[in-house]
Amino acid sequence: SYAAAVDRQLFTPEYGPEPVTDTNFRQFGTDVILDLAHNKALLAATLCAAAGQLAKPFTASILYKRDFDPKAAISAGGFPSTHSSAAVATAMSVGLERGFSDSVFGLAVVYAALTMYDAQGVRREVGVHARTLNKVLTKNQPNAYASSDPNRSIESSSKKLLSSSEPDNNSLMLEKRVNSLTDIENNCPVSGQLKESIGHTEIEVAAGALLGVLASLAVYSI
């Protein structure tokens, strides 16, 4: 291991610490790389994550009838869930190596379960909210994304909204909210639409988990 290599190279009982040289550092780096190459949990997680990401452009085109986009290979969301596959592959690899009664396997299972729940729960809801907001912004601001100045588009659409409202207490409250929104946009300008593909469906999460199990079994059998 890395700690054993440090003890062997930098300390001898007879003569005390040895001087640190470039050769020692290179030896330590080689030992670390070799240790990582034998870490089956890390290898399984990396393998299934890479396979899942590379498959996303094809699955999006075949399953969801979208245009083939190579950029999907480096984006979140889509089929399968690579977060789920990497977490499950790690947990399965730990269970195969250390035993399914080991507490470290239990910790890995909890981490994988939380990851999958978050993928089809919170992150999915974020995508739904982004899709809804994009529709609202597109409806109220037809020229918002075509304009080079998004703040100007938001301000013009806000004026149209206020002009169509009746001059009562509600319109005054609306005006305050619009002015507050305008101030926020001036301080934090946002251009383009919100990202909608963030989370996953239950099927995408299940497919990612299955990919993680298969990858861990394949790496363990080597």
Side-chain angles (χ1 to χ4, degrees), residues 43-114:
L43 289 177
T46 303
L47 175 63
C48 64
Q53 286 297 126
L54 293 176
K56 284 184 178 182
F58 301 96
T59 56
S61 178
I62 297 173
L63 299 178
Y64 303 127
K65 307 301 180 182
R66 299 173 183 171
D67 295 335
F68 184 84
D69 185 10
K71 293 182 180 179
I74 57 174
S75 63
F79 184 97
S81 171
T82 53
H83 290 82
S84 301
S85 65
V88 170
T90 302
M92 189 67 178
S93 297
V94 171
L96 292 172
E97 285 193 354
R98 302 175 65 95
F100 294 101
S101 61
D102 192 272
S103 58
V104 178
F105 171 71
L107 178 64
V109 169
V110 172
Y111 169 74
L114 292 175

Side-chain angles (χ1 to χ4, degrees), residues 117-139:
Y117 176 80
D118 179 74
Q120 61 87 33
V122 178
R123 290 173 54 207
R124 182 181 179 184
E125 288 299 323
V126 170
V128 172
H129 292 170
R131 190 178 302 109
T132 303
L133 288 174
N134 285 335
K135 291 180 180 179
V136 172
L137 292 175
T138 303
K139 181 178 179 181

Side-chain angles (χ1 to χ4, degrees), residues 106 121 126 152 192-193:
V126 170
R152 183 180 302 174
Q193 291 185 329

